[in-house]
Amino acid sequence: MWDEFNIKTFPAEIVVFRNGIFCPELSTLPDTDFYKTYEKPIHIIYVGEITGKNQLNINIFTENQKFFLSANIKNKKPAFLNIFIKNAGKNSEFRGQIMLENESELNLNCTVEHAIQDTTILLKNKLFAHKNTISKLSGISIINKNCKNAVSDISFSALADKKACVEFLPAQKISAIPKTADHSASIYRPSLQQIEYLRTSGLTGSEVKNVLIEAFLNDFSLF
């Protein structure tokens, strides 16, 4: 996974999706409904190129379990990805990073739900939008009644061509007092100093662009 999709792997129970399709031959677990506690963390890997409508549901019912989502997704045709994460496992922690590269029209919708107290869901989304593309990224965090001490964060950021259209729609629905509840959206622009430094290092214009894209997409970690 590291060589093909730049996905860091580690000792874990894994569930793998390639091009939006579940791959049982690469997975140690059969699906994304979790009722059993494992000694190792659970790593959900979602990689490849998507098109059309795609759905990823993650339902957590086990206590004291760590979960990680690593997604590295591209699209060259119009694509829609709906991600739903429900954490109903007390003291269970979910951390996800989603890296997107849009070359057409892309719609990402993330819904995360805290269904019991003392749950964590942290979801980071990063987008690189090519020229003349349309990107819409939306997300809502739901903290249900009686789900106190939730830790919740959905963030969106993008590096976009000047002729790309990017829309962010982060939201929260909070019915209990959380420990923390954050959401954010931002557009990244490299500084003139960064660009000039790379150029004086001997890189061509296209090489500078590629370095900035790679640095932006990989500037976070689950661990």
Side-chain angles (χ1 to χ4, degrees):
M1 288 298 173
W2 175 261
D3 293 335
E4 187 175 358
F5 296 105
N6 195 24
I7 294 292
K8 182 180 180 181
T9 56
F10 51 90
E13 302 291 346
I14 60 173
V15 180
V16 178
F17 292 82
R18 177 182 271 125
N19 301 329
I21 300 172
F22 173 60
C23 299
E25 71 279 6
L26 298 176
S27 305
T28 62
L29 300 178
D31 54 42
T32 53
D33 286 342
F34 303 104
Y35 296 92
K36 177 182 176 182
T37 301
Y38 295 89
E39 291 185 6
K40 297 178 182 178
I42 295 171
H43 192 188
I44 301 164
I45 300 172
Y46 195 101
V47 290
E49 185 176 323
I50 61 172
T51 185
K53 293 184 179 180
N54 301 267
Q55 180 82 22
L56 176 62
N57 294 326
I58 301 170
N59 295 297
I60 301 167
F61 301 100
T62 182
E63 297 184 356
N64 303 301
Q65 182 72 57
K66 288 189 175 182
F67 294 83
F68 300 97
L69 169 65
S70 298
N72 194 335
I73 306 164
K74 298 180 180 181
N75 72 297
K76 296 181 180 179
K77 296 181 180 180
F80 176 84
L81 175 59
N82 186 60
I83 298 177
F84 175 75
I85 302 163
K86 178 179 181 179
N87 193 345
K90 189 175 181 180
N91 296 320
S92 286
E93 178 181 299
F94 180 95
R95 293 175 179 264
Q97 64 177 22
I98 300 174
M99 296 185 288
L100 307 159
E101 184 175 352
N102 182 18
E103 296 186 29
S104 177
E105 183 175 347
L106 178 63
N107 189 319
L108 172 70
N109 180 61
C110 301
T111 301
V112 304
E113 179 182 0
H114 297 261
I116 197 171
Q117 68 180 49
D118 301 305
T119 52
T120 296
I121 305 177
L122 308 174
L123 191 61
K124 298 182 179 181
N125 304 271
K126 284 200 170 185
L127 165 75
F128 173 64
H130 288 267
K131 182 178 179 181
N132 298 325
T133 59
I134 299 173
S135 306
K136 183 177 181 180
L137 284 70
S138 60
I140 182 169
S141 175
I142 302 169
I143 301 176
N144 289 326
K145 187 178 180 180
N146 299 322
C147 296
K148 63 181 181 179
N149 297 326
V151 177
S152 183
D153 188 4
I154 301 180
S155 66
F156 296 99
S157 58
L159 173 61
D161 186 272
K162 292 182 179 180
K163 293 187 177 181
C165 178
V166 178
E167 181 179 3
F168 295 126
L169 294 169
Q172 294 176 317
K173 183 179 179 181
I174 301 175
S175 302
I177 298 175
K179 188 173 183 179
T180 60
D182 300 299
H183 66 285
S184 62
S186 62
I187 296 290
Y188 170 73
R189 292 276 186 255
S191 67
L192 292 176
Q193 290 85 353
Q194 289 173 314
I195 295 172
E196 186 62 27
Y197 174 80
L198 292 171
R199 285 177 175 170
T200 56
S201 299
L203 300 181
T204 65
S206 60
E207 288 172 334
V208 168
K209 180 180 178 181
N210 290 336
V211 167
L212 291 171
I213 294 170
E214 184 176 354
F216 168 75
L217 290 176
N218 291 286
D219 185 26
F220 57 21
S221 175
L222 291 172
F223 315 104

